[in-house]
Amino acid sequence: MVEGLRKRVEAGGAEKYHAANAARGKLFARERVALLVDEGTFVEDGMFANVMAEGLPADGVITGTATVDGRPVCLMANDSTVKAGSWGARTVEKIIRIIEKAYDTGVPMVYLVDSAGARITDQVDLFPGRRGAGRIFHTQVRASGSIPQACALFGPSAAGGAYIPAFCDVVAMVEGNASMYLGSDRMVEMVTGEKTTLEAMGGARVHCAESGVGHFLCKTEAEAIETVRRYLSYLPSNWTQPAPVAAAADATGLPEIPASERQAFDMRRFAKGLVDEGSFFEIQALWARELTTGFARIDGKPVGVVANNSMFKGGVLFVDSADKATRFVQLCDAFNVPLLFLADVPGFMVGSAVEKQGIIRHGAKMITAISEATVPKICVVVRKAYGAGLYAMAGPGFEPDATIALPTAKIAVMGAEAAVNAVYANKIAALPDDETRAAFVAEKRAEYERDIDIMRLASELVIDTVVEPGALRDELVRRFAAATGKNRQFSRRRHGVTPV
Ligand SMILES: CCC(=O)SCCNC(=O)CCNC(=O)[C@H](O)C(C)(C)COP(=O)(O)OP(=O)(O)OC[C@H]1O[C@@H](n2cnc3c(N)ncnc32)[C@H](O)[C@@H]1OP(=O)(O)O
């Protein structure tokens, strides 16, 4: 009898739901689990949930333990062939238990999500109680920063269900099928009159390029699962362990840095050329692109890279880029991944539009995260670091383990042109003709540039050293190694009151 039941549970829901999923290019939940884990390592919990009462296989969610690349993980996978992957009371209990197990044993938790959210027909059993659906989120929040939590999203993630991905460190979304939304298109039309679709409102591209809730836009389910595996490879199993070291690889070398600061420069190419070949793993590549974030390895050891990218919006910091940096810095700091800042930043955006969006609040949040990060952190000024941009990129006042400048670096309260205009606007306006004005501006500009000369800043001990680009990688290897055992106490308190 047990074997027969087991086979029925393993088959999932009715054939018509499997056929509908296959027609959309979706895999069965058990196939997803098999793609994620090392072969033969999966041990399932609660597979007979609800089998006697309602005959809903596994109550629509598969949970258990396994290894990924030889390291233990806990996982859950919604089965959308069972009531669209909606959560009944046992579904909720299984999800809570597996997150608790991940937290208690100190291993990553992987969420393979494809769910209609709460099972509306069973709401009294699953929704309001102490171990109701809200407890899933409470447990996720408690585990956040203690163990890595990664989500691959293959289908809908409706209403309350949308918060499971939202509480994860990262979310990989499959384009065309994955969606996240608080209210379905039908509900939106009923409440607001807006006519929309799941894809237009909460599709993978929307969340990966516009809202920032998604981190990786994937073409296939296999790619989303591979992305989760790769994410885990940069992180320790929990916050008490060091980040895992891989075999070292050579770097491909740095691109030439343009002489003119007005010329856009792709800092992703710089980062890729600096780190171990093929190790750069960009996170949120499509969102707030003026700032690049990603993991990489230098000499086999993981680092988190935060880099300004002047290819987009001149590398100026906006509200979204400040949020992107904040979250990534917190992620690295939580999991003992040293931070490398590559600065080429004119500062934060100014103007009424960004003031109304709260640029001060968002910028303060980023600077808070940089201040609170106690993991080894090194700031490399590649080109410019102007104004509060220097602070946001872990400049000297933010206890970096080093501030390194390339010979192309400029550090100043603002660029020369803006500075001359700010100080001498009245005098310039009073000059008699264009020729005199141009000569005056050129003279003041030269004076200003002498003041901020990078060797002068080195001689005043503002920065720790100036290195040629070819020597930067070796310098970083030595300095990160020297910072490994640093004291990580930041402040005497429970937690700060962060600007959010
Ligand atoms: C914590 C608060 C919350 O989470 S409230 C949750 C609210 N959830 C929703 O509003 C989502 C409602 N469902 C949907 O929009 C669709 O089912 C989505 C998720 C888009 C999937 O569409 P599709 O793949 O076409 O499946 P379908 O609609 O044909 O449903 C298949 C069977 O599953 C059922 N189902 C679906 N959602 C729920 C649900 N939330 N609760 C209970 N049952 C649900 C459908 O009734 C359908 O059942 P049947 O095949 O008619 O027996």
Side-chain angles (χ1 to χ4, degrees):
M1 177 188 163
V2 174
E3 211 34 48
L5 276 178
R6 184 186 300 277
K7 285 213 166 77
R8 260 177 41 204
V9 170
E10 282 176 349
E15 183 48 41
K16 64 175 177 176
Y17 300 119
H18 284 278
N21 275 351
R24 291 177 195 157
K26 290 169 70 174
L27 296 174
F28 179 37
R30 290 183 185 275
E31 293 172 319
R32 292 170 181 157
V33 172
L35 273 181
L36 172 72
V37 307
D38 300 337
E39 199 177 340
T41 63
F42 182 54
V43 180
E44 187 165 350
D45 281 331
M47 88 177 297
F48 298 116
N50 225 346
V51 81
M52 300 306 282
E54 294 179 62
L56 296 176
D59 210 22
V61 70
I62 298 155
T63 60
T65 58
T67 67
V68 169
D69 290 330
R71 298 161 65 203
V73 300
C74 289
L75 66 90
M76 58 138 279
N78 298 118
D79 180 356
S80 61
T81 67
V82 178
K83 293 280 174 201
S86 61
W87 309 339
R90 256 73 63 187
T91 325
V92 168
E93 180 59 27
K94 284 174 71 174
I95 296 173
I96 295 168
R97 282 189 196 180
I98 197 67
I99 307 170
E100 287 173 344
K101 183 179 276 189
Y103 176 69
D104 288 342
T105 56
V107 305
M109 178 69 213
V110 178
Y111 303 80
L112 304 180
V113 175
D114 186 355
S115 169
R119 195 170 297 151
I120 300 163
T121 42
D122 297 10
Q123 62 165 309
V124 176
D125 292 334
L126 74 93
F127 178 65
R130 282 172 182 254
R131 292 195 53 99
R135 189 76 188 182
I136 296 176
F137 312 140
H138 179 275
T139 315
Q140 279 191 284
V141 170
R142 191 153 56 110
S144 178
S146 176
I147 52 168
Q149 298 189 79
C151 172
L153 183 52
F154 308 104
S157 178
Y163 285 105
I164 282 193
F167 288 121
C168 286
D169 311 338
V170 290
V171 186
M173 297 183 74
V174 180
E175 191 162 23
N177 280 336
S179 58
M180 273 186 270
Y181 49 90
L182 293 186
S184 69
D185 42 1
R186 262 175 294 170
M187 184 189 280
V188 168
E189 187 171 357
M190 202 176 78
V191 175
T192 70
E194 180 194 355
K195 284 190 197 313
T196 184
T197 63
L198 298 187
E199 186 65 21
M201 168 177 62
R205 190 164 282 278
V206 168
H207 283 307
C208 292
E210 292 180 59
S211 77
V213 184
H215 298 74
F216 306 100
L217 184 67
C218 301
K219 287 197 169 43
T220 63
E221 296 202 359
E223 186 187 334
I225 290 169
E226 186 49 39
T227 300
V228 166
R229 292 173 62 104
R230 189 162 185 213
Y231 171 73
L232 295 178
S233 76
Y234 289 90
L235 297 181
S237 293
N238 62 63
W239 71 290
T240 64
Q241 297 176 3
V245 177
D250 289 338
T252 53
L254 299 174
E256 198 163 322
I257 302 167
S260 164
E261 72 175 69
R262 287 176 175 276
Q263 195 176 326
F265 178 57
D266 189 351
M267 197 68 93
R268 278 172 312 183
R269 281 184 54 222
F270 187 89
K272 284 180 187 169
L274 180 66
V275 301
D276 294 6
E277 185 172 1
S279 74
F280 188 65
F281 176 53
E282 191 169 358
I283 295 186
Q284 292 185 309
L286 300 177
W287 184 59
R289 302 174 81 180
E290 62 276 14
L291 184 111
T292 297
T293 53
F295 292 117
R297 292 193 180 84
I298 297 182
D299 205 27
K301 299 177 188 73
V303 290
V305 178
V306 180
N308 310 113
N309 194 338
S310 60
M311 300 297 285
F312 302 96
K313 299 179 178 172
V316 177
L317 292 165
F318 284 73
V319 293
D320 282 348
S321 32
D323 284 1
K324 178 175 171 178
T326 301
R327 189 121 193 293
F328 185 69
V329 165
Q330 288 177 342
L331 174 67
C332 292
D333 194 49
F335 294 116
N336 312 318
V337 178
L339 282 161
L340 173 62
F341 295 85
L342 300 174
D344 180 13
V345 59
F348 283 89
M349 189 57 192
V350 294
S352 58
V354 286
E355 293 299 350
K356 288 174 190 170
Q357 291 163 9
I359 187 82
I360 297 170
R361 187 162 53 79
H362 290 272
K365 191 177 5 172
M366 177 174 176
I367 290 172
T368 301
I370 305 293
S371 304
E372 290 179 341
T374 55
V375 78
K377 53 187 182 190
I378 293 180
C379 168
V380 178
V381 184
V382 178
R383 297 173 87 198
K384 58 197 170 299
Y386 291 155
L390 174 68
Y391 303 161
M393 294 299 285
F398 292 81
E399 295 194 348
D401 293 281
T403 307
I404 302 172
L406 298 191
T408 37
K410 289 181 178 170
I411 297 176
V413 70
M414 60 181 76
E417 199 174 314
V420 171
N421 187 51
V423 178
Y424 300 109
N426 294 341
K427 287 205 172 96
I428 294 168
L431 291 170
D433 54 58
D434 284 353
E435 203 178 318
T436 328
R437 276 193 284 274
F440 180 82
V441 168
E443 181 195 327
K444 293 297 169 198
R445 197 185 163 118
E447 273 173 23
Y448 186 82
E449 283 183 342
R450 268 197 303 280
D451 275 354
I452 63 164
D453 180 81
I454 202 66
M455 292 316 300
R456 179 172 172 203
L457 295 186
S459 77
E460 307 274 353
L461 300 182
V462 172
I463 55 175
D464 296 297
T465 189
V466 182
V467 300
E468 293 292 341
L472 178 60
R473 185 178 149 97
D474 284 347
E475 185 84 17
L476 290 173
V477 169
R478 286 193 293 268
R479 286 185 181 267
F480 274 128
T484 306
K486 70 187 280 196
N487 174 13
R488 294 195 59 190
Q489 195 68 39
F490 177 64
S491 178
R492 289 186 300 276
R493 63 179 190 194
R494 194 173 302 283
H495 54 70
V497 184
T498 307
V500 288

